[in-house]
C-alpha cells in the first residue's frame, strides 16, 4: 500500500459513522481519528508532534517496529531517534532475562522524561508483554505507562493509539493467541533498499528452554500470493534485498489451504524481476529439506548464507532441549549443504549452561564448532524462562561452570571463524552498500552475499547499490576493502 492510496482511503471515511468491524478497514478508520487528535494537539502546541520507536530483540520485532512506525507516521507524528518525544514506544523482547532487565532499566529513564513533559505518552508492546506477571509488575511499579499491548494484536495499533487519546489511565490489551493475519497496513521501512518480510508467525517447536512459542503463539503462514504481492510492491519501491522472516521458515506453508513448501515459495520469489538478493531467517536443522538445498544451489539470488542454529553439540543435551536432531545428523546436514554450495557461509546460535550440561557436553559443542568452522556464531548463556520445561529441571548449572564453558566456546568460535572468513582475503566480491560507517565518515559499510561485513572508502551515493569490492585486509569478523573497477 502506498501513501497516496492510503490518503484516498482515509479521505473517504466518515468519522461520524460507526467504526467498521472488518479489518483492515477498522484500522483505517481509527488512523483517521488519530490524524484528527494529532493535528488538534499540533495546533494547541504550535509545533509538530514527535514519536520514537525503540526495538529490542530479533528481526521479527524489527519488522513489527516498522509497522508501528508506519502507523505513527500516518497518524501525523514525526519519527525521531530521540526518546525526548511526545510518544515513546518500546517493542520488547523476552527471550533471555537480560532483555527484560534492559526494558525495566530504561523505563526508569522514560519516567524522568515524562515528569518534564507530562503530555508524553509511553507505550509498551512485544513479547515481554505476553508473559504472565509482566503486566502486574508494570501496573504496580511503572504506573506512568499509558498503553500496553501484545504480539497478537499489534495490527490494532491505530485503534489502541486512538483510545489512548480518548481515555485517561493505563490501557492494557493482551490476547492469549490469534489465528488472524491482517494485511495491507502501512509500514515505514528503516532502509529504502532492503526489507524484512514476515512469511509466517509463531512457532510450534517448543524447544524446552524457549519462551517464543508462548509469547508468539502457534505457527501461521501467510498466503504465498500476499507475500509475492508485498515483495513486488517493495521492489517497485526500490528494494533490492529481502529477508523472509519466520521462527522456523523450513516449516512454512504446512498449514495453508493449498500447502506449499518453503523451497516452493523461494522458487516463486526468485522469479520477481528487479529483486537481487534473497535472505531468510531462521532455519531449524530438523526441517531443512533436500529440496531447499537444491533450490538454493541453483539460485542466482538466494544469498550464500545459512543461519543454522546448533544450540548444543551434545546429543544428550539436544534431546533434553527437544531439538529433535543429533550431533551426527547436524554434521551430516552441514556436509550435504557444503557439498552442494562450497562457498556458503554458515552461522549459528549456541546456548551454554542448559540444565544438566557438563564440561564433557561442552566438549561436544566445541567439537562441532571445530568440524563445521562456522563463519560466525552467537553464543548465549542459558537463561531460565519461567513456564518453559527447562526452567523446572532440577539440575541447573552453577554460574562458575557456565562461565568456564562459555569462555571456552566463545574462544573456539572466534578462532575458527577468523580462520574461515580470512579465506576470502584478496578476492573481489559484490557488496550491497548499507550505510555510512559510524566511526569513519569517509567509509561506507555493506555486506557480501554471505553476510560478512565490509567497510571501504565511498560516499552516501553508493547506499543501496551492489558494487564489486576488493577485500584487501581481514580485520577479524570484517574486511577493509576498496571498490574495484575504478568507480570509487
Ligand atoms: N527460532 C530461532 C531462534 C529464535 S531465539 C531458532 O530456533 O533458531 C534466538 C536464539 O536465542 C536461539 O537460537 C537460542 O540460541 C537463543 N535462546 C532462546 N532461548 C534462550 C534461553 N532461554 N537462554 C539462552 N538463549 C536462548
Ligand atoms: Fe524457540 Fe525453538 Fe521455536 Fe526457535 S524453534 S523460536 S528456539 S522454540
Ligand atoms: Fe525476542 Fe520475541 Fe524475537 S522474545 S527474540 S523479540 S520473537
Amino acid at each position: 500500500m502506498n501513501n497516496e492510496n492510503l490518503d484516498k482511503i482515509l479521505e473517504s471515511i466518515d468519522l461520524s459513522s460507526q467504526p467498521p468491524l472488518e479489518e483492515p478497514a477498522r484500522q483505517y478508520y481509527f488512523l483517521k481519528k488519530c490524524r484528527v487528535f494529532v493535528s488538534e494537539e499540533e495546533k494547541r502546541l504550535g509545533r509538530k508532534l514527535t514519536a520514537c520507536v525503540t526495538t529490542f530483540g530479533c528481526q521479527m520485532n524489527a519488522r513489527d517496529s516498522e509497522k508501528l512506525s508506519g502507523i505513527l507516521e500516518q497518524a501525523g507524528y514525526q519519527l525521531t531517534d530521540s526518546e525526548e518525544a511526545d510518544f515513546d514506544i518500546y517493542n520488547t523482547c523476552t527471550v533471555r532475562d537480560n532483555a527484560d532487565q534492559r526494558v525495566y532499566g530504561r523505563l526508569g529513564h522514560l519516567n524522568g522524561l515524562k515528569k518534564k513533559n507530562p503530555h508524553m505518552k509511553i507505550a509498551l508492546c512485544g513479547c515481554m508483554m505476553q508473559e504472565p506477571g509482566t503486566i502486574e509488575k508494570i501496573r504496580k511499579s511503572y504506573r506512568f505507562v499509558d498503553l500496553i499491548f501484545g504480539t497478537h494484536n499489534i495490527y490494532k495499533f491505530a485503534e489502541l493509539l486512538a483510545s489512548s487519546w480518548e481515555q485517561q489511565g493505563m490501557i492494557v490489551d493482551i490476547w492469549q493467541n490469534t489465528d488472524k493475519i491482517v494485511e495491507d497496513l502501512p509500514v515505514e521501512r528503516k532502509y529504502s533498499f532492503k526489507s524484512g518480510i514476515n512469511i509466517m508467525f509463531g512457532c510450534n517447536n517448543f524447544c524446552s528452554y524457549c519462551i517464543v512459542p508462548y509469547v508468539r503463539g502457534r505457527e501461521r503462514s501467510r498466503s504465498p500470493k500476499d507475500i509475492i504481492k508485498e515483495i513486488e510492491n517493495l521492489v517497485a519501491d526500490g528494494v533490492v534485498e529481502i529477508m523472509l522472516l519466520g521462527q522456523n521458515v523450513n516449516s512454512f506453508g504446512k498449514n495453508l489451504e493449498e500447502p506449499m513448501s518453503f523451497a516452493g515459495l523461494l522458487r516463486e520469489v526468485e522469479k520477481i524481476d528487479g529483486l537481487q538478493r534473497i535472505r531468510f531467517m531462521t532455519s531449524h536443522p530438523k526441517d531443512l529439506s533436500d529440496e531447499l538445498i537444491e533450490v538454493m544451489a541453483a539460485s542466482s539470488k538466494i544469498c550464500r548464507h545459512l543461519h543454522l542454529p546448533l544450540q548444543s553439540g551434545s546429543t544428550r543435551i539436544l534431546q533434553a532441549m527437544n531439538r529433535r536432531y543429533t550431533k551426527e545428523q547436524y554434521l551430516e546436514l552441514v556436509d550435504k549443504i557444503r557439498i552442494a554450495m562450497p562457498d556458503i557461509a554458515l552461522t549459528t546460535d549456541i546456548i551454554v549452561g542448559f540444565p544438566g550440561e557438563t564440561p564433557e557436553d561442552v566438549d561436544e559443542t566445541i567439537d562441532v564448532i571445530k568440524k563445521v568452522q562456522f563463519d560466525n556464531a552467537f553464543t548465549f548463556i542459558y537463561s531460565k524462562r519461567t513456564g518453559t520445561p527447562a526452567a523446572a529441571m532440577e539440575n541447573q548449572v552453577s554460574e562458575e561452570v557456565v562461565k568456564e564453558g562459555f569462555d571456552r566456546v566463545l574462544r573456539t568460535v572466534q578462532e575458527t571463524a577468523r580462520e574461515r572468513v580470512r579465506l576470502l582475503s584478496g578476492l573481489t566480491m559484490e557488496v550491497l552498500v548499507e550505510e555510512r560507517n559510524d566511526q569513519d565518515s569517509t567509509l561506507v559499510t555493506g555486506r557480501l552475499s554471505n553476510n560478512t561485513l565490509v567497510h571501504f572508502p565511498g560516499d552516501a551515493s553508493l547506499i543501496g547499490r551492489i558494487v564489486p569490492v576488493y577485500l584487501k585486509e581481514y580485520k577479524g569478523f570484517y574486511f577493509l576493502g576498496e571498490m574495484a573497477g575504478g568507480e570509487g
Side-chain angles (χ1 to χ4, degrees):
M1 147 109 26
N2 64 32
N3 292 352
E4 271 165 48
N5 287 351
L6 184 66
D7 282 342
K8 265 192 220 137
I9 294 173
L10 295 198
E11 243 168 65
S12 67
I13 292 172
D14 173 9
L15 287 181
S16 62
S17 63
Q18 285 299 310
L21 292 176
E22 73 279 14
E23 297 293 359
R26 186 173 173 88
Q27 297 314 309
Y28 298 153
Y29 175 95
F30 285 106
L31 191 52
K32 179 158 181 171
K33 238 179 167 180
C34 290
R35 280 191 180 179
V36 175
F37 291 128
V38 170
S39 85
E40 280 169 2
E41 184 76 354
E42 266 173 19
K43 276 189 211 123
R44 208 177 61 77
L45 296 173
R47 62 169 176 85
K48 283 275 188 194
L49 296 190
T50 56
C52 175
V53 180
T54 306
T55 313
F56 300 82
C58 65
Q59 313 268 0
M60 227 78 60
N61 255 22
R63 183 62 178 163
D64 282 347
S65 288
E66 294 185 343
K67 298 176 185 172
L68 299 170
S69 298
I71 297 287
L72 286 165
E73 173 148 88
Q74 286 300 330
Y77 286 93
Q78 255 173 4
L79 296 174
T80 160
D81 290 334
S82 160
E83 288 192 340
E84 281 180 52
D86 298 295
F87 186 91
D88 261 296
I89 182 160
Y90 283 176
N91 188 10
T92 63
C93 169
T94 187
V95 77
R96 285 170 290 275
D97 184 57
N98 55 9
D100 288 22
Q101 295 318 319
R102 271 171 58 214
V103 169
Y104 287 126
R106 288 181 56 168
L107 268 178
H109 170 69
L110 281 193
N111 190 22
L113 293 178
K114 190 165 180 166
K115 282 188 179 137
K116 279 194 265 168
N117 175 12
H119 298 288
M120 184 176 166
K121 289 183 199 294
I122 297 176
L124 298 172
C125 67
C127 297
M128 196 177 146
M129 301 305 124
Q130 294 289 149
E131 253 198 293
T134 306
I135 304 302
E136 288 71 37
K137 182 163 173 173
I138 293 168
R139 277 198 213 270
K140 199 162 147 243
S141 309
Y142 301 87
R143 288 166 54 183
F144 53 89
V145 174
D146 300 280
L147 170 61
I148 300 177
F149 55 99
T151 57
H152 302 302
N153 55 349
I154 185 170
Y155 74 85
K156 269 183 71 181
F157 179 46
E159 184 170 349
L160 293 164
L161 185 62
S163 312
S164 82
W165 280 100
E166 285 170 322
Q167 295 174 33
Q168 292 296 314
M170 190 187 286
I171 298 172
V172 179
D173 190 3
I174 305 284
W175 298 1
Q176 282 324 308
N177 218 332
T178 186
D179 52 11
K180 217 170 172 145
I181 298 178
V182 179
E183 301 282 344
D184 289 329
L185 291 169
V187 179
E188 176 64 23
R189 290 200 311 278
K190 190 169 167 204
Y191 296 95
S192 60
F193 54 89
K194 70 167 184 178
S195 180
I197 287 137
N198 302 104
I199 62 166
M200 57 200 299
F201 303 94
C203 181
N204 286 354
N205 285 320
F206 290 95
C207 301
S208 63
Y209 50 82
C210 185
I211 194 86
V212 171
Y214 304 87
V215 297
R216 286 273 171 177
R218 293 296 66 72
E219 219 168 82
R220 289 149 350 257
S221 296
R222 281 176 73 195
S223 96
K225 217 170 74 232
D226 288 334
I227 296 169
I228 300 290
K229 190 177 77 183
E230 182 176 356
I231 301 173
E232 284 171 346
N233 289 341
L234 288 167
V235 170
D237 199 30
V239 166
V240 293
E241 177 180 296
I242 54 150
M243 184 181 275
L244 305 175
L245 299 172
Q247 291 298 354
N248 179 14
V249 291
N250 295 332
S251 73
F252 171 82
K254 288 187 181 151
N255 59 351
L256 290 171
E257 268 172 37
E258 287 173 48
M260 177 188 249
S261 67
F262 179 54
L265 176 70
L266 281 173
R267 273 200 203 97
E268 294 306 309
V269 174
E270 172 103 18
K271 291 182 195 153
I272 298 174
D273 272 341
L275 180 63
Q276 304 201 46
R277 282 182 169 186
I278 304 169
R279 299 186 185 279
F280 53 86
M281 270 278 233
T282 299
S283 285
H284 194 303
K286 79 174 163 62
D287 296 319
L288 199 143
S289 66
D290 291 349
E291 188 195 6
L292 176 64
I293 299 176
E294 252 167 61
V295 169
M296 283 185 85
S299 165
S300 58
K301 295 184 180 173
I302 301 174
C303 287
R304 285 294 182 257
H305 172 219
L306 197 56
H307 186 65
L308 198 61
L310 167 68
Q311 313 301 4
S312 167
S314 153
T315 296
R316 194 177 70 86
I317 295 295
L318 285 169
Q319 200 173 14
M321 286 176 161
N322 191 29
R323 290 291 288 179
R324 286 172 275 176
Y325 51 85
T326 62
K327 175 187 181 182
E328 288 70 29
Q329 283 167 334
Y330 188 93
L331 289 171
E332 275 163 31
L333 181 60
V334 165
D335 279 345
K336 229 182 343 186
I337 295 166
R338 283 253 170 83
I339 289 169
M341 293 168 280
D343 58 343
I344 198 158
L346 293 175
T347 58
T348 201
D349 293 343
I350 293 168
I351 298 176
V352 179
F354 183 85
E357 189 180 63
T358 63
E360 290 71 39
D361 292 314
V362 175
D363 291 343
E364 296 281 305
T365 301
I366 288 180
D367 186 46
V368 176
I369 300 168
K370 286 186 173 157
K371 289 197 166 114
V372 175
Q373 302 262 311
F374 293 105
D375 290 72
N376 199 359
F378 300 95
T379 311
F380 305 108
I381 289 181
Y382 167 73
S383 172
K384 191 170 167 176
R385 307 316 287 135
T386 309
T388 62
M393 293 179 186
E394 277 170 7
N395 41 3
Q396 305 284 324
V397 184
S398 76
E399 225 173 282
E400 271 159 72
V401 175
V402 175
K403 193 173 173 323
E404 189 269 340
F406 182 81
D407 289 346
R408 282 201 295 141
V409 169
L410 194 64
R411 222 177 311 126
T412 317
V413 160
Q414 286 175 344
E415 281 164 15
T416 52
R418 261 195 210 113
E419 288 314 308
R420 170 117 197 132
V421 181
R422 191 197 299 277
L423 297 176
L424 301 177
S425 298
L427 299 180
T428 296
M429 296 181 87
E430 288 194 329
V431 172
L432 170 59
V433 183
E434 297 196 340
E435 56 207 353
R436 276 196 130 116
N437 190 286
D438 309 332
Q439 265 117 52
D440 181 344
S441 63
T442 67
L443 300 179
V444 289
T445 297
R447 281 173 199 278
L448 300 179
S449 164
N450 81 5
N451 213 34
T452 303
L453 277 175
V454 182
H455 307 292
F456 65 98
D459 59 42
S461 69
L462 292 172
I463 293 174
R465 284 176 56 196
I466 295 181
V467 293
V469 176
Y470 170 65
L471 305 176
K472 198 170 155 188
E473 202 181 331
Y474 180 58
K475 303 290 270 184
F477 293 112
Y478 68 88
F479 279 99
L480 282 180
E482 260 167 25
M483 209 156 120
E487 267 193 84

